[in-house]
Amino acid sequence: MITSTLSQQLRKAHHVVAFTGAGTSAESGIPTFRDALTGLWERFDPAQLATPEAFRADPSLCWGWYEWRRQKVVQAQPNGAHLAIAELASHVPKMTVVTQNVDDLHERAGSQDVIHLHGSLHSPRCIDCGLAYTLPLASYDLPAEGSRIEPPRCSACDGYVRPGVVWFGEMLPEDAWSAGLAAAEECDVFLSIGTSGIVYPAAELPLRALGNGATVVHINPARFDISSQEHFLEGPASVMMQSLLRDAFG
Ligand code: OAD
């Protein structure tokens, strides 16, 4: 199924980057953002939920929504794509996982030092002073969609605790962004898995990799236009990643 050229390139690669988006976690039951009908941004308004202004305007609505999402992640399991990405690291000299996802499914599949460009549902902090807040992992049953939950308060300044994700209009965490960029520019194979590739600056990474001569492979069940130098593996992330692993390393 996978072209032999790609398998060969993977076998001789020195540094492989797996750049992942919501589609990588879709088969674990975590909704994507933009898939028709099921995508979060098809059903919810980001302006009401994913900006600092939205949080300050209605902290309970916003916190409840992120707690709903966090509990979904807590109850989910890594899928074949997360597992294949983790396993790939044992076959190549260097592997970097750069994710736009705010779940911890890569870590739970065994990937190390995952770069989270858009933060994490599991690292909330005070909206006023930035102090990290330690959340119990599953403090209550899965909240119903749309539940309002009063956010906890910061122990230092009594400010509201906010989700540790990057919202619209916010900068990416500087360390994550520079590490992601460096990996994209250094790697020889760049796998872009389950992302619509429309949210910048993250979407710049495949372009940087391509510009630096890497083999860029897009893995997605929904075909989109790519340049003649890139590759496309059309299918679900778990199937395509498992095939790629098998074809390259047996
Ligand atoms: P999107 O929802 O924009 O895109 C998900 C992609 O996954 C689509 O291209 C789908 O075709 C694809 N997909 C669906 N099922 C799949 C499967 N089983 N295997 C592989 N691919 C599949 O999600 P992202 O590209 O991650 O930002 O979105 C980027 C950013 O936009 C997110 O990180 C988030 C959002 O606003 C922030 O929260 C800052």
Side-chain angles (χ1 to χ4, degrees), residues 20-24 26-27 31-35 39 41 50 66 69 100-102 118 165-168 172 193-199 219-222 224 235-238:
T20 62
T24 307
E27 292 165 80
T32 65
F33 292 93
R34 297 178 181 80
D35 277 281
W41 296 154
Y66 282 94
R69 286 181 57 196
Q100 299 165 85
N101 297 343
V102 292
H118 292 164
V165 302
V166 174
W167 280 329
F168 287 100
L172 269 48
I193 309 163
T195 178
S196 56
I198 58 174
V199 173
I219 297 176
N220 204 302
F224 49 79
S238 64

Short mmCIF file of all heavy atoms in Angstrom, two decimals, residues 20-24 26-27 31-35 39 41 50 66 69 100-102 118 165-168 172 193-199 219-222 224 235-238, ligand 1:
data_model
loop_
_atom_site.label_atom_id
_atom_site.label_comp_id
_atom_site.label_asym_id
_atom_site.label_seq_id
_atom_site.Cartn_x
_atom_site.Cartn_y
_atom_site.Cartn_z
N THR A 20 1.35 16.30 14.28
CA THR A 20 0.00 15.75 14.35
C THR A 20 -1.06 16.81 14.63
O THR A 20 -0.81 17.83 15.26
CB THR A 20 -0.10 14.65 15.42
OG1 THR A 20 0.18 15.20 16.70
CG2 THR A 20 0.87 13.50 15.14
N GLY A 21 -2.27 16.50 14.13
CA GLY A 21 -3.43 17.34 14.38
C GLY A 21 -4.58 16.49 14.89
O GLY A 21 -4.41 15.28 15.14
N ALA A 22 -5.72 17.12 15.02
CA ALA A 22 -6.88 16.49 15.65
C ALA A 22 -7.25 15.15 15.02
O ALA A 22 -7.75 14.25 15.70
CB ALA A 22 -8.07 17.44 15.60
N GLY A 23 -7.00 14.99 13.70
CA GLY A 23 -7.34 13.73 13.03
C GLY A 23 -6.57 12.54 13.60
O GLY A 23 -7.03 11.40 13.50
N THR A 24 -5.43 12.80 14.22
CA THR A 24 -4.64 11.71 14.81
C THR A 24 -5.37 11.12 16.02
O THR A 24 -5.23 9.93 16.31
CB THR A 24 -3.24 12.23 15.21
OG1 THR A 24 -2.67 12.85 14.07
CG2 THR A 24 -2.33 11.11 15.70
N ALA A 26 -8.72 11.31 16.31
CA ALA A 26 -10.14 11.09 15.96
C ALA A 26 -10.57 9.65 16.23
O ALA A 26 -11.67 9.40 16.74
CB ALA A 26 -10.37 11.45 14.49
N GLU A 27 -9.67 8.70 15.91
CA GLU A 27 -10.05 7.29 16.10
C GLU A 27 -10.03 6.87 17.57
O GLU A 27 -10.42 5.75 17.90
CB GLU A 27 -9.13 6.39 15.26
CG GLU A 27 -9.38 6.61 13.77
CD GLU A 27 -8.25 6.02 12.93
OE1 GLU A 27 -8.25 4.80 12.71
OE2 GLU A 27 -7.37 6.79 12.49
N PRO A 31 -13.22 14.43 19.20
CA PRO A 31 -13.67 15.12 17.98
C PRO A 31 -12.61 16.05 17.40
O PRO A 31 -11.83 16.64 18.16
CB PRO A 31 -14.89 15.94 18.44
CG PRO A 31 -15.00 15.80 19.92
CD PRO A 31 -14.00 14.79 20.39
N THR A 32 -12.57 16.16 16.08
CA THR A 32 -11.69 17.14 15.42
C THR A 32 -12.38 18.51 15.52
O THR A 32 -13.42 18.65 16.17
CB THR A 32 -11.47 16.77 13.94
OG1 THR A 32 -12.72 16.87 13.26
CG2 THR A 32 -10.89 15.37 13.79
N PHE A 33 -11.80 19.49 14.87
CA PHE A 33 -12.39 20.84 14.90
C PHE A 33 -13.25 21.13 13.70
O PHE A 33 -14.28 21.78 13.80
CB PHE A 33 -11.27 21.90 15.00
CG PHE A 33 -10.57 21.83 16.32
CD1 PHE A 33 -9.42 21.07 16.47
CD2 PHE A 33 -11.10 22.46 17.43
CE1 PHE A 33 -8.79 20.97 17.70
CE2 PHE A 33 -10.49 22.36 18.67
CZ PHE A 33 -9.33 21.61 18.80
N ARG A 34 -12.81 20.62 12.52
CA ARG A 34 -13.45 21.11 11.30
C ARG A 34 -14.11 20.04 10.45
O ARG A 34 -14.59 20.34 9.37
CB ARG A 34 -12.42 21.89 10.46
CG ARG A 34 -11.93 23.11 11.19
CD ARG A 34 -10.89 23.92 10.47
NE ARG A 34 -10.50 25.05 11.31
CZ ARG A 34 -9.64 24.98 12.33
NH1 ARG A 34 -9.02 23.84 12.60
NH2 ARG A 34 -9.38 26.03 13.06
N ASP A 35 -14.14 18.78 10.92
CA ASP A 35 -14.85 17.78 10.13
C ASP A 35 -16.35 18.13 10.13
O ASP A 35 -16.89 18.52 11.17
CB ASP A 35 -14.62 16.37 10.70
CG ASP A 35 -13.30 15.78 10.22
OD1 ASP A 35 -13.27 15.29 9.08
OD2 ASP A 35 -12.30 15.83 10.97
N GLY A 39 -17.15 18.05 13.84
CA GLY A 39 -16.07 18.96 14.25
C GLY A 39 -16.54 19.94 15.32
O GLY A 39 -17.66 20.44 15.26
N TRP A 41 -15.68 22.99 15.93
CA TRP A 41 -16.01 24.34 15.45
C TRP A 41 -17.21 24.34 14.50
O TRP A 41 -17.64 25.38 14.04
CB TRP A 41 -14.80 25.02 14.80
CG TRP A 41 -13.64 25.29 15.71
CD1 TRP A 41 -12.35 25.41 15.30
CD2 TRP A 41 -13.62 25.52 17.14
NE1 TRP A 41 -11.54 25.67 16.39
CE2 TRP A 41 -12.29 25.74 17.54
CE3 TRP A 41 -14.60 25.54 18.14
CZ2 TRP A 41 -11.90 25.98 18.86
CZ3 TRP A 41 -14.22 25.77 19.46
CH2 TRP A 41 -12.90 26.00 19.80
N ALA A 50 -13.11 30.12 23.03
CA ALA A 50 -11.66 29.92 22.83
C ALA A 50 -10.90 31.23 22.66
O ALA A 50 -9.99 31.32 21.83
CB ALA A 50 -11.45 29.00 21.62
N TYR A 66 -14.24 23.11 28.54
CA TYR A 66 -12.92 22.48 28.53
C TYR A 66 -12.86 21.28 29.46
O TYR A 66 -12.15 20.31 29.19
CB TYR A 66 -11.82 23.50 28.84
CG TYR A 66 -11.52 24.35 27.64
CD1 TYR A 66 -12.14 25.58 27.45
CD2 TYR A 66 -10.67 23.89 26.64
CE1 TYR A 66 -11.90 26.35 26.32
CE2 TYR A 66 -10.42 24.65 25.50
CZ TYR A 66 -11.04 25.87 25.35
OH TYR A 66 -10.81 26.61 24.21
N ARG A 69 -14.30 18.48 27.55
CA ARG A 69 -13.29 17.95 26.61
C ARG A 69 -12.21 17.16 27.35
O ARG A 69 -11.75 16.13 26.89
CB ARG A 69 -12.66 19.11 25.83
CG ARG A 69 -13.59 19.67 24.77
CD ARG A 69 -12.94 20.78 23.98
NE ARG A 69 -11.71 20.37 23.35
CZ ARG A 69 -10.80 21.22 22.87
NH1 ARG A 69 -10.99 22.51 22.95
NH2 ARG A 69 -9.71 20.76 22.30
N GLN A 100 -0.36 19.56 17.55
CA GLN A 100 -1.27 20.69 17.79
C GLN A 100 -2.34 20.26 18.79
O GLN A 100 -3.17 21.06 19.20
CB GLN A 100 -1.96 21.09 16.48
CG GLN A 100 -1.00 21.54 15.39
CD GLN A 100 -1.68 21.58 14.03
OE1 GLN A 100 -2.33 22.56 13.67
NE2 GLN A 100 -1.55 20.52 13.27
N ASN A 101 -2.31 18.99 19.15
CA ASN A 101 -3.37 18.47 20.02
C ASN A 101 -3.12 18.82 21.48
O ASN A 101 -1.98 18.89 21.92
CB ASN A 101 -3.49 16.95 19.85
CG ASN A 101 -3.91 16.59 18.44
OD1 ASN A 101 -4.40 17.46 17.70
ND2 ASN A 101 -3.72 15.35 18.05
N VAL A 102 -4.21 18.97 22.20
CA VAL A 102 -4.11 19.36 23.62
C VAL A 102 -4.38 18.17 24.53
O VAL A 102 -4.55 18.31 25.72
CB VAL A 102 -5.06 20.55 23.93
CG1 VAL A 102 -4.58 21.81 23.20
CG2 VAL A 102 -6.51 20.23 23.53
N HIS A 118 0.01 23.87 20.97
CA HIS A 118 -1.21 24.58 21.40
C HIS A 118 -1.55 24.32 22.86
O HIS A 118 -2.71 24.43 23.25
CB HIS A 118 -2.38 24.19 20.47
CG HIS A 118 -2.22 24.71 19.07
ND1 HIS A 118 -2.94 24.25 17.99
CD2 HIS A 118 -1.40 25.68 18.57
CE1 HIS A 118 -2.56 24.91 16.90
NE2 HIS A 118 -1.63 25.76 17.22
N VAL A 165 -4.59 25.79 27.37
CA VAL A 165 -4.51 25.68 25.91
C VAL A 165 -4.28 27.07 25.30
O VAL A 165 -4.54 28.08 25.95
CB VAL A 165 -5.82 25.08 25.31
CG1 VAL A 165 -6.10 23.72 25.92
CG2 VAL A 165 -6.99 26.01 25.54
N VAL A 166 -3.80 27.07 24.06
CA VAL A 166 -3.61 28.35 23.36
C VAL A 166 -4.94 28.75 22.74
O VAL A 166 -5.56 27.96 22.03
CB VAL A 166 -2.53 28.20 22.26
CG1 VAL A 166 -2.42 29.47 21.43
CG2 VAL A 166 -1.18 27.85 22.88
N TRP A 167 -5.37 29.95 23.02
CA TRP A 167 -6.63 30.45 22.46
C TRP A 167 -6.37 31.32 21.23
O TRP A 167 -5.24 31.78 21.01
CB TRP A 167 -7.37 31.27 23.52
CG TRP A 167 -8.11 30.41 24.53
CD1 TRP A 167 -8.68 29.19 24.31
CD2 TRP A 167 -8.37 30.73 25.91
NE1 TRP A 167 -9.29 28.74 25.47
CE2 TRP A 167 -9.11 29.65 26.46
CE3 TRP A 167 -8.07 31.83 26.73
CZ2 TRP A 167 -9.54 29.64 27.79
CZ3 TRP A 167 -8.50 31.81 28.04
CH2 TRP A 167 -9.24 30.73 28.57
N PHE A 168 -7.42 31.55 20.48
CA PHE A 168 -7.31 32.44 19.32
C PHE A 168 -6.80 33.81 19.80
O PHE A 168 -7.24 34.30 20.85
CB PHE A 168 -8.65 32.58 18.61
CG PHE A 168 -9.02 31.33 17.86
CD1 PHE A 168 -9.93 30.42 18.39
CD2 PHE A 168 -8.43 31.03 16.63
CE1 PHE A 168 -10.24 29.24 17.72
CE2 PHE A 168 -8.75 29.85 15.95
CZ PHE A 168 -9.64 28.96 16.50
N LEU A 172 1.84 31.28 20.54
CA LEU A 172 2.21 29.91 20.89
C LEU A 172 3.27 29.95 22.00
O LEU A 172 4.04 30.92 22.05
CB LEU A 172 2.80 29.21 19.66
CG LEU A 172 1.83 28.43 18.77
CD1 LEU A 172 0.59 29.21 18.43
CD2 LEU A 172 2.52 27.96 17.51
N ILE A 193 0.26 14.48 10.01
CA ILE A 193 -0.76 13.45 10.20
C ILE A 193 -2.05 14.03 10.79
O ILE A 193 -2.06 14.58 11.90
CB ILE A 193 -0.22 12.36 11.17
CG1 ILE A 193 1.16 11.86 10.71
CG2 ILE A 193 -1.21 11.20 11.29
CD1 ILE A 193 1.93 11.10 11.78
N GLY A 194 -3.14 13.92 10.03
CA GLY A 194 -4.46 14.29 10.57
C GLY A 194 -4.62 15.75 10.90
O GLY A 194 -5.18 16.09 11.93
N THR A 195 -4.14 16.60 10.02
CA THR A 195 -4.36 18.04 10.25
C THR A 195 -4.86 18.71 8.97
O THR A 195 -4.45 18.33 7.88
CB THR A 195 -3.07 18.74 10.75
OG1 THR A 195 -3.33 20.13 10.90
CG2 THR A 195 -1.87 18.53 9.85
N SER A 196 -5.75 19.68 9.16
CA SER A 196 -6.25 20.42 8.00
C SER A 196 -5.18 21.39 7.51
O SER A 196 -5.29 21.90 6.39
CB SER A 196 -7.54 21.16 8.35
OG SER A 196 -7.31 22.01 9.46
N GLY A 197 -4.19 21.68 8.34
CA GLY A 197 -3.07 22.53 7.92
C GLY A 197 -3.47 23.95 7.59
O GLY A 197 -2.88 24.58 6.72
N ILE A 198 -4.46 24.45 8.31
CA ILE A 198 -4.88 25.83 7.98
C ILE A 198 -4.66 26.81 9.13
O ILE A 198 -4.91 27.99 8.98
CB ILE A 198 -6.37 25.88 7.51
CG1 ILE A 198 -7.30 25.32 8.57
CG2 ILE A 198 -6.56 25.16 6.20
CD1 ILE A 198 -8.77 25.49 8.21
N VAL A 199 -4.22 26.29 10.29
CA VAL A 199 -4.03 27.19 11.42
C VAL A 199 -2.55 27.53 11.55
O VAL A 199 -1.70 26.66 11.78
CB VAL A 199 -4.58 26.56 12.72
CG1 VAL A 199 -4.24 27.41 13.93
CG2 VAL A 199 -6.10 26.40 12.61
N ILE A 219 -0.82 12.60 5.74
CA ILE A 219 -1.65 11.41 5.98
C ILE A 219 -3.02 11.88 6.42
O ILE A 219 -3.17 12.54 7.46
CB ILE A 219 -0.98 10.51 7.05
CG1 ILE A 219 0.37 10.02 6.52
CG2 ILE A 219 -1.91 9.35 7.43
CD1 ILE A 219 1.18 9.21 7.51
N ASN A 220 -4.02 11.57 5.61
CA ASN A 220 -5.35 12.13 5.87
C ASN A 220 -6.37 11.34 5.03
O ASN A 220 -6.08 11.00 3.89
CB ASN A 220 -5.35 13.62 5.42
CG ASN A 220 -6.41 14.43 6.13
OD1 ASN A 220 -7.59 14.11 6.04
ND2 ASN A 220 -5.99 15.47 6.82
N PRO A 221 -7.55 11.06 5.57
CA PRO A 221 -8.56 10.37 4.74
C PRO A 221 -9.21 11.30 3.73
O PRO A 221 -9.83 10.84 2.77
CB PRO A 221 -9.60 9.89 5.77
CG PRO A 221 -9.39 10.72 6.99
CD PRO A 221 -7.98 11.25 6.96
N ALA A 222 -9.05 12.62 3.93
CA ALA A 222 -9.66 13.58 3.00
C ALA A 222 -8.56 14.23 2.19
O ALA A 222 -7.72 14.95 2.72
CB ALA A 222 -10.44 14.64 3.79
N PHE A 224 -6.40 16.62 -0.11
CA PHE A 224 -6.33 18.06 -0.41
C PHE A 224 -5.12 18.29 -1.31
O PHE A 224 -4.30 17.38 -1.50
CB PHE A 224 -6.27 18.93 0.86
CG PHE A 224 -5.26 18.50 1.88
CD1 PHE A 224 -3.91 18.81 1.73
CD2 PHE A 224 -5.66 17.78 3.02
CE1 PHE A 224 -2.98 18.42 2.70
CE2 PHE A 224 -4.73 17.39 3.98
CZ PHE A 224 -3.39 17.71 3.82
N GLY A 235 -6.00 8.00 3.82
CA GLY A 235 -6.64 7.00 4.68
C GLY A 235 -6.55 7.43 6.13
O GLY A 235 -5.89 8.43 6.45
N PRO A 236 -7.20 6.69 7.02
CA PRO A 236 -7.15 7.03 8.44
C PRO A 236 -5.73 6.90 8.99
O PRO A 236 -4.96 6.03 8.55
CB PRO A 236 -8.07 5.99 9.10
CG PRO A 236 -8.76 5.28 8.00
CD PRO A 236 -7.99 5.48 6.74
N ALA A 237 -5.41 7.73 9.95
CA ALA A 237 -4.05 7.80 10.50
C ALA A 237 -3.59 6.44 11.04
O ALA A 237 -2.44 6.05 10.83
CB ALA A 237 -4.00 8.85 11.60
N SER A 238 -4.46 5.73 11.73
CA SER A 238 -4.02 4.46 12.35
C SER A 238 -3.62 3.46 11.26
O SER A 238 -2.55 2.85 11.34
CB SER A 238 -5.13 3.87 13.23
OG SER A 238 -6.22 3.53 12.42
P1 OAD B 1 -8.96 20.12 12.04
O1 OAD B 1 -10.25 19.73 12.64
O2 OAD B 1 -8.84 21.45 11.39
O3 OAD B 1 -8.52 19.03 10.96
C1 OAD B 1 -8.59 17.68 11.26
C2 OAD B 1 -8.06 16.91 10.06
O4 OAD B 1 -8.04 15.55 10.42
C3 OAD B 1 -8.91 17.03 8.80
O5 OAD B 1 -8.05 17.31 7.70
C4 OAD B 1 -9.56 15.65 8.66
O6 OAD B 1 -9.75 15.26 7.31
C5 OAD B 1 -8.51 14.79 9.31
N1 OAD B 1 -8.99 13.51 9.86
C6 OAD B 1 -10.23 13.16 10.30
N2 OAD B 1 -10.23 11.88 10.71
C7 OAD B 1 -8.99 11.40 10.53
C8 OAD B 1 -8.34 10.14 10.76
N3 OAD B 1 -9.00 9.11 11.25
N4 OAD B 1 -7.04 10.01 10.44
C9 OAD B 1 -6.35 11.07 9.92
N5 OAD B 1 -6.90 12.27 9.69
C10 OAD B 1 -8.19 12.44 9.99
O7 OAD B 1 -7.85 19.92 13.20
P2 OAD B 1 -6.37 20.51 13.26
O8 OAD B 1 -5.74 20.55 11.94
O9 OAD B 1 -5.68 19.81 14.36
O10 OAD B 1 -6.22 25.10 17.59
O11 OAD B 1 -6.68 22.00 13.71
C11 OAD B 1 -5.65 22.87 13.99
C12 OAD B 1 -6.00 23.75 15.15
O12 OAD B 1 -7.28 24.37 14.92
C13 OAD B 1 -6.22 23.02 16.46
O13 OAD B 1 -5.02 22.73 17.14
C14 OAD B 1 -7.05 24.00 17.22
C15 OAD B 1 -8.03 24.41 16.16
O14 OAD B 1 -8.61 25.67 16.31
C16 OAD B 1 -6.26 25.59 18.83
O15 OAD B 1 -7.01 25.15 19.66
C17 OAD B 1 -5.31 26.73 19.07
#
